[in-house]
Amino acid sequence: MEILVLDESYEQEILDLVKKKKKFSHQRLTDEVLTNLQLGIRKSLKNRLKNRIVGCIDDGRLTAVVSQSFDNNYPCWYMDYFVSDDNSLTFNNGHGDSINACLLYAMQDAESRGFLDIYYSVPIQYLRTQQKTHPSSPAWSRYDIHIERIIPPNKFPMIEIHKAVYGSILKPHAVVIKRATLRDDLRISLLENLK
Amino acid sequence: MIIKLLDEHDTVMIGDFITNAKPTEQILNADKIFEKIISNNNYGGFAVIEDGKIINVLFFRIIRSIKAAVLDIIWIRDGYSFIDSYGPEIYDQFLEYLETNQIWNYYTFSEKRNSEKFEKVFSRLVKNRKNYDCYIDEVLPPNYFSKHYLHFWTLMNGTLRPYQTAIRHYVLKQEYRQSV
């Protein structure tokens, strides 16, 4: 298993990974969703400083991706989406090894540069599942997680950073905006070594 | 004694206060901050008023794009101490203001990462401090700017300090968030 920041050559493989899913962020994979996603993927693969996609390659095959965007005004990053070809949540480690490995890489690399908070959004239907899987996830268990806001169905958020994690497509379901903050006990040695 | 959110009607009182506040390295900027309070809704201040004069002031600013606040500075009338002149009450008003406006995060700074002096004052200052978790976001060496704007603002627009500073980030615990 290898974790790396993906470049433009992975565009089709990422799209293929997404297309395997019937739904993306609790929405049917319509042409509109796919077009928007493709635009976002291109931007991330090209830029790779402000936005990037961390991928997991297993047996020469892309098995999971995490999209990561940095905000230099605030010491935080936001997760636009993650996709894994592992559908099962029964491993007692969240969404499986591939996604956890991507998340750990994304988090630890961000932490080494002083980005200690993460914003992300989930459909409200997944809230309880995440509350069960996060504590046993090697990536998420390192963070304290708070609900920042619940955005009602068919409404865009009002706050800039919430807009960024919500995305550009209006959702027919309520969306929970979360903020994960690296536990303070894990910051001590980290802060001393920051560049 | 009353505690009030400052507005343009307090110009005369704040002028009197500024001339009588403890001289600090920032006092020269006090009138500029007050100008911002009355002309810009991203800035605010709470004042303790006794016998028609301001005893102390807590200034803050709201960072709307992430719905957070920065505790800018606390000023005290010369001859008074903050703790003994309604400091805890003014701090409570500030936190209540944040919570009413659904602002769950605020930032401030202290000297050093583990500042005993800060902890001692803070424990007397904030009655409901257990409602908040504290995280140290960044430790800056003496005379060093932060590369993150939020931390830069937290150090009063990047005022250089000749000692180590720690950027403190306070997060209201989930169970105390009245509504999300």
Side-chain angles (χ1 to χ4, degrees), chain A residues 9 34 45 63 80 102 107 117-118 133 154 164 178 188 195:
Chain A
S9 65
L34 269 173
L45 296 177
T63 55
D80 307 281
C102 287
M107 287 170 172
D117 283 59
I118 308 164
T133 56
N154 297 310
K178 291 174 140 190
I188 297 168
K195 295 164 196 117

Side-chain angles (χ1 to χ4, degrees), chain A residues 71-76 113-117 119 144-151 159-162 179 181-184 187-188 191-192 194-195, chain B residues 63-68 101-105 107 113 133-139 144 147-151 153 169 171-174 177 179-180:
Chain A
D71 193 315
N72 275 326
N73 285 341
Y74 315 111
C76 65
R113 290 190 280 145
F115 293 89
L116 309 180
D117 283 59
Y119 282 89
D144 292 328
I145 295 167
H146 295 92
I147 294 171
E148 285 282 303
R149 191 76 32 142
I150 296 174
I151 311 298
I159 296 160
E160 206 177 296
I161 197 112
H162 296 175
R179 178 173 175 153
T181 305
L182 184 68
R183 289 189 349 234
D184 201 52
R187 295 176 176 219
I188 297 168
L191 289 169
E192 281 161 10
L194 280 182
K195 295 164 196 117
Chain B
I63 313 295
R64 293 192 185 275
S65 49
I66 55 165
K67 198 99 175 161
N101 287 285
Q102 300 187 332
I103 296 168
W104 315 128
N105 298 268
Y107 294 81
R113 180 189 159 81
D133 286 320
C134 177
Y135 302 86
I136 303 294
D137 262 16
E138 191 171 9
V139 178
Y144 201 85
K147 62 181 176 184
H148 300 295
Y149 283 132
L150 180 67
H151 292 173
W153 291 327
H169 171 195
V171 181
L172 185 66
K173 290 177 182 171
Q174 191 74 52
R177 300 183 182 198
S179 63
V180 287

Side-chain angles (χ1 to χ4, degrees), chain B residues 74-133:
Chain B
I74 291 165
W75 270 303
I76 315 148
R77 184 173 282 269
D78 206 7
Y80 289 79
S81 86
F82 189 70
I83 291 285
D84 299 327
S85 56
Y86 311 105
E89 285 79 2
I90 202 172
Y91 212 104
D92 267 4
Q93 287 279 313
F94 165 62
L95 296 183
E96 199 181 309
Y97 175 86
L98 296 187
E99 289 164 32
T100 306
N101 287 285
Q102 300 187 332
I103 296 168
W104 315 128
N105 298 268
Y106 76 94
Y107 294 81
T108 186
F109 71 92
S110 67
E111 191 179 336
K112 298 179 194 160
R113 180 189 159 81
N114 295 308
S115 169
E116 274 180 36
K117 187 181 159 194
F118 183 91
E119 292 298 344
K120 205 173 161 185
V121 173
F122 193 70
S123 64
R124 289 180 64 197
L125 198 58
V126 186
K127 290 179 200 161
N128 295 323
R129 67 187 187 282
K130 289 198 178 96
N131 295 7
Y132 284 81
D133 286 320

Side-chain angles (χ1 to χ4, degrees), chain A residues 19-192:
Chain A
K19 282 178 187 168
K20 280 185 199 166
K21 304 279 167 190
K22 285 183 187 153
K23 285 182 175 178
F24 180 75
S25 190
H26 207 66
Q27 279 177 295
R28 275 184 51 240
L29 265 178
T30 60
D31 287 346
E32 189 197 5
V33 174
L34 269 173
T35 307
N36 260 284
L37 191 64
Q38 192 166 12
L39 288 172
I41 289 169
R42 273 189 195 151
K43 198 173 137 194
S44 301
L45 296 177
K46 210 175 234 176
N47 183 321
R48 290 198 285 165
L49 285 171
K50 193 176 183 306
N51 316 92
R52 65 184 191 175
I53 298 174
V54 176
C56 176
I57 313 288
D58 202 3
D59 276 341
R61 199 169 54 85
L62 186 68
T63 55
V65 290
V66 168
S67 166
Q68 190 176 30
S69 296
F70 293 94
D71 193 315
N72 275 326
N73 285 341
Y74 315 111
C76 65
W77 60 276
Y78 48 91
M79 184 168 66
D80 307 281
Y81 56 86
F82 65 87
V83 187
S84 161
D85 69 355
D86 193 347
N87 272 318
S88 173
L89 285 169
T90 57
F91 295 122
N92 202 30
N93 63 352
H95 292 267
D97 292 338
S98 301
I99 204 75
N100 272 327
C102 287
L103 271 169
L104 259 180
Y105 177 94
M107 287 170 172
Q108 287 176 340
D109 183 62
E111 288 159 18
S112 72
R113 290 190 280 145
F115 293 89
L116 309 180
D117 283 59
I118 308 164
Y119 282 89
Y120 62 108
S121 69
V122 286
I124 200 158
Q125 293 86 342
Y126 299 165
L127 187 60
R128 285 187 65 192
T129 310
Q130 280 202 344
Q131 280 165 347
K132 284 180 193 164
T133 56
H134 275 5
S136 54
S137 153
W140 291 113
S141 60
R142 302 162 60 250
Y143 281 76
D144 292 328
I145 295 167
H146 295 92
I147 294 171
E148 285 282 303
R149 191 76 32 142
I150 296 174
I151 311 298
N154 297 310
K155 285 210 166 144
F156 280 115
M158 304 294 283
I159 296 160
E160 206 177 296
I161 197 112
H162 296 175
K163 286 179 193 167
V165 288
Y166 184 94
S168 55
I169 296 175
L170 197 60
K171 316 283 193 296
H173 49 263
V175 170
V176 181
I177 309 283
K178 291 174 140 190
R179 178 173 175 153
T181 305
L182 184 68
R183 289 189 349 234
D184 201 52
D185 57 303
L186 299 175
R187 295 176 176 219
I188 297 168
S189 56
L190 193 69
L191 289 169
E192 281 161 10

